[in-house]
């Protein structure tokens, strides 16, 4: 069974700092990996989707990478802002669908 | 497009009552997913449909839970009878399932409280 781990569970950084969120998975047989953000009491907003054949995807200040051989994905956020404060989840699509437990990010003004 | 629509947004019911959650996927999407989110267990996939057909319901916790998708624009998740441990946020998501897999788009969720 696929296991998806996100470390750290919580992260607090000052505004303007660049940061990296990590997602690890145990089974490299995946179709794609998707990063979401979830604001308190809200649904999930899709940020980036990386296909299994891709190495990275970029959208604005966000860059996601995928290394299937090592079972890792990272979400890089440049020049963090207080509005980036949310929980970030990674999701794996393989034979089934698995979510990580998320990293709660707080960007301090 | 209005995105994935879920109703009701909040539901409070008493133990033993039947609960029906509703979802309208994004037009043109052919896959639909039901998830449950709790603090203890995070996001769990309950069931998903492809072209209105249930593909994997292994995440459905027990026989009290059932899901239907009578057509491409509507799905229901029913709990009968409901129990306090069913209290959670239930999300519906949809995607277009092509050869490149699924990019899922989530609805706002239904917060269920069973007293």
């Amino acid at each position: 069974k696929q296991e998806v781990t996100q470390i750290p569970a919580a992260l607090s950084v000052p505004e303007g700092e660049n940061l990296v969120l990590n997602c690890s998975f145990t089974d490299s047989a995946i179709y794609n990996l998707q990063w979401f953000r979830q604001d308190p009491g809200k649904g999930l907003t899709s940020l980036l989707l990386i296909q299994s054949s891709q190495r990275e995807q970029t959208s604005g200040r966000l860059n996601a990478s995928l290394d299937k051989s090592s079972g890792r994905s990272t979400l890089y956020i440049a020049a963090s802002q207080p509005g980036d404060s949310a929980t970030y989840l990674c999701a794996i699509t393989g034979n089934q669908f698995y979510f990580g437990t998320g990293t709660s990010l707080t960007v301090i003004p | 497009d209005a995105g994935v629509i879920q109703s009701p947004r909040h539901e409070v019911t008493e133990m033993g009552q039947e609960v029906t959650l509703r979802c309208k996927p994004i037009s043109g999407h052919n896959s639909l997913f039901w998830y449950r989110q709790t603090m203890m267990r995070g996001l769990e996939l309950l069931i998903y449909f492809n072209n209105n057909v249930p593909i994997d319901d292994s995440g459905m916790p027990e026989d009290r839970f059932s899901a239907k998708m009578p057509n491409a624009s509507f799905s229901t998740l029913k709990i009968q009878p409901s129990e306090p441990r069913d209290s959670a946020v239930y999300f519906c998501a949809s995607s277009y399932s092509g050869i490149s897999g699924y990019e899922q788009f989530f609805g706002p969720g239904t917060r269920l409280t069973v007293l």
Side-chain angles (χ1 to χ4, degrees), chain A residues 63-104:
Chain A
N63 176 277
S65 68
L66 175 64
D67 184 345
K68 287 198 304 178
S69 62
S70 65
R72 291 190 60 196
S73 175
T74 60
L75 179 67
Y76 174 83
I77 304 177
S80 58
Q81 303 171 358
D84 295 330
S85 298
T87 296
Y88 290 80
L89 299 106
C90 64
I92 301 283
T93 297
N95 291 326
Q96 293 189 322
F97 303 89
Y98 300 93
F99 274 81
T101 50
T103 294
S104 177

Side-chain angles (χ1 to χ4, degrees), chain A residues 13-105:
Chain A
V13 301
E15 181 177 2
E17 192 164 295
N18 302 326
L19 60 101
V20 175
L21 306 180
N22 297 295
C23 174
S24 301
F25 49 95
T26 55
D27 186 350
S28 62
I30 68 173
Y31 292 118
N32 63 46
L33 184 147
Q34 196 169 356
W35 281 94
F36 294 88
R37 70 174 279 169
Q38 185 174 28
D39 294 282
K42 305 288 187 182
L44 280 71
T45 301
S46 179
L47 298 173
L48 289 164
L49 173 74
I50 310 177
Q51 304 293 352
S52 63
S53 58
Q54 297 174 322
R55 298 282 294 185
E56 65 178 327
Q57 282 286 334
T58 298
S59 175
R61 295 182 294 109
L62 305 179
N63 176 277
S65 68
L66 175 64
D67 184 345
K68 287 198 304 178
S69 62
S70 65
R72 291 190 60 196
S73 175
T74 60
L75 179 67
Y76 174 83
I77 304 177
S80 58
Q81 303 171 358
D84 295 330
S85 298
T87 296
Y88 290 80
L89 299 106
C90 64
I92 301 283
T93 297
N95 291 326
Q96 293 189 322
F97 303 89
Y98 300 93
F99 274 81
T101 50
T103 294
S104 177
L105 172 66

Side-chain angles (χ1 to χ4, degrees), chain B residues 1-111:
Chain B
D1 199 312
V4 177
I5 299 173
Q6 290 188 248
S7 64
R9 295 292 309 276
H10 302 273
E11 177 82 22
V12 180
T13 190
E14 293 187 346
M15 183 174 63
Q17 296 298 305
E18 177 180 297
V19 175
T20 299
L21 312 181
R22 297 173 176 80
C23 175
K24 177 178 169 55
I26 292 171
S27 177
H29 283 187
N30 60 350
S31 295
L32 183 140
F33 309 79
W34 282 102
Y35 290 91
R36 176 172 67 176
Q37 186 176 39
T38 62
M39 288 293 292
M40 291 293 292
R41 300 174 68 92
L43 262 168
E44 302 173 281
L45 177 66
L46 300 177
I47 185 171
Y48 79 95
F49 296 83
N50 251 10
N51 297 315
N52 312 337
V53 176
I55 302 301
D56 184 354
D57 65 355
S58 59
M60 295 286 262
E62 47 198 276
D63 292 345
R64 297 184 297 106
F65 286 68
S66 63
K68 294 183 179 180
M69 191 164 187
N71 57 62
S73 59
F74 183 66
S75 177
T76 60
L77 178 67
K78 186 175 294 187
I79 308 172
Q80 166 64 19
S82 57
E83 297 182 2
R85 60 192 168 118
D86 302 330
S87 296
V89 180
Y90 291 80
F91 288 103
C92 175
S94 72
S95 75
Y96 175 73
S97 60
I99 57 174
S100 56
Y102 306 77
E103 180 175 10
Q104 299 183 55
F105 296 87
F106 278 70
T110 294
R111 183 173 296 276

